[in-house]
């Protein structure tokens, strides 16, 4: 009898266990409930690395191939964008061609959405791609041809450079061609210029071009007297000396109070700034009566202003020793171009070597061709001042 009950009980128990394990009641079956995407360590690209119409990449953890991406602008206008590639650690998508400003980014998966932490910033740019600028120098008033895709009728090329007077830019309408666009340089442009393409409120800097310059060119408030090998950078001399023929360099000082200047080409501007700064500091500390209200040679150059049409050139300085020697070498040509440099000795912005405080170099313009440049007393000599400027 016990054996029969045992045989009956074991199958019954097994059935109950199996039924419980496999959930015999169909009402107890579970389905997965979607949740919003969980994304971590999100890093948006820099605004400088984003171009409308091009691919952008958001890095992070937790992306999935089924993710859909929306950009939501500051007016809460939401736009679905094209996703091009997804891995667990990044998502790539195409930035809309007309995008610009700040956006929140929404990731949607299985109908659930997550707003990513941070802001996706798109610059207001003109979406020009595959840009190729001329590699050779452009002659003055020459034609500039730009290869690239994305130019439109009405686009403006704005050319600018740090050596133009403050606020001066040249705005030139573009003409479209099969390769991209082109324009002709107006008069007055020279040296290395940046090019910005403007379309309404959108702007894109596409690079630089070099407008060739040559010794003897009349531009930038004076005459070019030196250019580099690339004919891209150079120096311009003022059309005449400034002040009187008998100006002082400044006070003789202890070696420790020298401005610490250089003789080389390229140092004149910094020399001039340092000389004026040092003089003002010493004058404030010592209150020398003989220098009250006196403009030293370097200050006369900084104060020089040349008006040329609607432009005013104010970035003049006292040339270094080597810079002024270059002026001397072409003084006959400069005279033919209308530069008035009376026979005189002229100050440079180069003090004596070793921080000697009492002397500075001059260049002798009495000579026809011999280059004479020696030291003289900063306050004992009274000679000429000839400003230059750089580009």
């Amino acid at each position: 009898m016990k054996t029969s009950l045992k045989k009956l009980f074991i199958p019954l128990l097994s059935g109950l266990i199996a039924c419980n394990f496999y959930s015999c009641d169909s009402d107890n079956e579970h389905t997965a409930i979607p949740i919003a995407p969980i994304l971590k360590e999100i890093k948006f690209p820099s605004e400088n690395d984003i171009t409308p119409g091009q691919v952008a990449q958001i890095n992070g953890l937790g992306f999935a191939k089924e993710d859909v991406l929306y950009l939501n602008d500051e007016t809460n206008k939401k736009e679905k964008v094209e996703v091009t590639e997804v891995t667990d650690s990044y998502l790539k998508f195409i930035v809309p061609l007309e995008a610009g400003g700040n956006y929140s980014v929404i990731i949607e998966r299985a109908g659930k959405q997550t707003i990513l932490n941070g802001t996706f910033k798109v610059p207001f740019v003109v979406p020009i791609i595959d840009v190729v600028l001329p590699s050779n120098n452009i002659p003055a008033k020459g034609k500039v041809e730009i290869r690239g895709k994305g130019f439109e009728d009405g686009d403006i090329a704005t050319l600018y450079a740090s050596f133009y007077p403050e606020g001066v830019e040249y705005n030139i309408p573009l003409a479209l061609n099969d390769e991209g666009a082109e324009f002709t340089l107006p008069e007055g442009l020279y040296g290395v210029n940046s090019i910005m393409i403007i379309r309404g409120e959108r702007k894109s800097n596409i690079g630089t071009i070099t407008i060739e310059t040559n010794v003897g060119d009349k531009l930038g408030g004076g005459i070019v007297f030196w250019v580099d090998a690339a004919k891209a950078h150079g120096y311009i001399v003022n059309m005449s000396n400034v002040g009187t023929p008998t100006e002082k360099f400044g006070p003789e000082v202890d070696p420790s109070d020298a401005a610490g200047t250089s003789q080389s080409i390229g140092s004149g501007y910094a020399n001039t700034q340092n000389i004026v700064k040092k003089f003002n500091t010493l004058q404030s500390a010592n209150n020398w009566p003989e220098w009250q209200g006196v403009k030293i040679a370097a200050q006369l150059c900084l104060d020089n202003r040349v008006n040329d049409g609607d432009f005013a050139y104010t970035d003049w300085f006292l040339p270094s020793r080597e810079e002024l020697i270059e002026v001397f070498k072409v003084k006959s040509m400069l005279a033919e171009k209308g530069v008035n440099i009376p026979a005189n000795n002229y100050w440079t912005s180069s003090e004596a070597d070793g921080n000697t405080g009492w002397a500075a170099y001059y260049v002798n313009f009495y000579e026809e061709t011999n280059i004479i440049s020696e030291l003289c007393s900063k306050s004992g000599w009274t000679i000429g001042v000839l400003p230059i400027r750089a580009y």
Side-chain angles (χ1 to χ4, degrees):
M1 182 68 179
K2 289 182 180 179
T3 301
S4 300
L5 289 173
K6 184 177 181 181
K7 289 181 179 180
L8 179 65
F9 176 74
I10 290 174
L12 180 61
L13 179 62
S14 299
L16 289 172
I17 292 173
C19 184
N20 184 62
F21 183 81
Y22 290 105
S23 187
C24 293
D25 188 351
S26 60
D27 292 338
N28 292 330
E29 291 183 358
H30 297 287
T31 55
I33 299 175
I35 62 172
I38 299 175
L39 302 161
K40 301 178 181 180
E41 300 181 21
I42 296 299
K43 185 177 181 181
F44 289 115
S46 165
E47 185 175 6
N48 294 331
D49 296 329
I50 297 170
T51 302
Q54 299 298 298
V55 173
Q57 177 173 317
I58 301 174
N59 293 318
L61 298 177
F63 292 109
K65 293 187 181 299
E66 62 268 26
D67 286 349
V68 177
L69 187 147
Y70 295 90
L71 294 181
N72 194 42
D73 67 15
E74 293 173 305
T75 65
N76 284 324
K77 179 182 177 182
K78 188 168 70 171
E79 180 179 359
K80 181 181 177 181
V81 302
E82 180 183 350
V83 175
T84 61
E85 183 180 353
V86 185
T87 71
D88 180 65
S89 58
Y90 66 80
L91 180 147
K92 293 183 178 181
F93 64 97
I94 297 177
V95 181
L97 196 62
E98 299 303 318
N102 297 331
Y103 294 85
S104 58
V105 177
I106 301 170
I107 300 295
E108 182 177 279
R109 185 185 306 162
K112 298 294 184 178
Q113 295 183 345
T114 294
I115 300 175
L116 301 185
N117 290 329
T119 303
F120 182 67
K121 298 181 178 181
V122 182
F124 285 97
V125 301
V126 182
I128 306 296
I129 61 173
D130 300 333
V131 172
V132 179
L133 293 170
S135 57
N136 297 326
N137 290 358
I138 311 294
K141 296 189 286 187
K143 180 183 288 187
V144 179
E145 296 184 350
I146 307 172
R147 293 169 56 189
K149 300 175 184 177
F151 291 103
E152 294 183 1
D153 285 329
D155 286 351
I156 299 292
T158 296
L159 274 67
Y160 61 96
S162 60
F163 47 80
Y164 294 146
E166 185 177 357
V168 171
E169 296 178 342
Y170 293 84
N171 297 311
I172 312 162
L174 291 178
L176 305 187
N177 58 35
D178 293 339
E179 297 294 324
E182 61 186 46
F183 61 90
T184 300
L185 295 169
E187 187 175 3
L189 288 159
Y190 58 95
V192 178
N193 281 240
S194 296
I195 301 181
M196 181 177 292
I197 304 300
I198 297 179
R199 182 185 301 163
E201 66 174 344
R202 296 178 177 273
K203 300 179 180 180
S204 289
N205 193 320
I206 61 172
T208 63
I209 59 170
T210 298
I211 303 165
E212 185 170 304
T213 55
N214 294 280
V215 171
D217 288 348
K218 185 173 184 179
L219 50 82
I223 304 294
V224 176
F225 68 88
W226 182 90
V227 296
D228 65 0
K231 296 187 175 182
H233 303 280
Y235 291 97
I236 298 166
V237 66
N238 200 53
M239 296 300 291
S240 65
N241 63 303
V242 294
T244 71
T246 55
E247 299 290 347
K248 294 181 178 182
F249 182 96
E252 296 183 8
V253 295
D254 294 332
S256 60
D257 287 327
T261 57
S262 170
Q263 299 181 36
S264 64
I265 288 180
S267 64
Y269 182 78
N271 288 351
T272 304
Q273 296 287 338
N274 291 337
I275 289 166
V276 170
K277 182 178 179 180
K278 177 65 73 171
F279 171 76
N280 290 338
T281 299
L282 293 173
Q283 175 63 359
S284 178
N286 297 295
N287 196 29
W288 293 312
E290 66 272 28
W291 294 99
Q292 289 289 341
V294 174
K295 285 189 177 183
I296 60 175
Q299 187 66 60
L300 285 168
C301 291
L302 290 183
D303 290 347
N304 189 44
R305 178 187 177 94
V306 174
N307 295 315
D308 186 1
D310 295 331
F311 303 152
Y313 296 93
T314 59
D315 55 346
W316 302 89
F317 55 91
L318 187 64
S320 69
R321 186 188 188 192
E322 291 186 11
E323 290 164 355
L324 191 55
I325 287 173
E326 293 299 322
V327 177
F328 176 85
K329 290 177 181 179
V330 294
K331 65 181 180 125
S332 296
M333 179 275 296
L334 293 174
E336 294 174 0
K337 297 287 184 176
V339 179
N340 180 27
I341 307 177
N344 197 353
N345 294 314
Y346 288 88
W347 289 114
T348 77
S349 60
S350 302
E351 299 171 308
D353 294 331
N355 289 329
T356 302
W358 69 271
Y361 283 98
Y362 71 94
V363 176
N364 184 336
F365 274 71
Y366 289 108
E367 293 290 320
E368 290 294 327
T369 56
N370 293 332
I371 298 173
I372 297 176
S373 177
E374 303 292 345
L375 290 169
C376 63
S377 167
K378 291 179 177 178
S379 58
W381 278 48
T382 56
I383 57 178
V385 178
L386 185 63
I388 67 171
R389 58 184 299 266
Y391 64 92

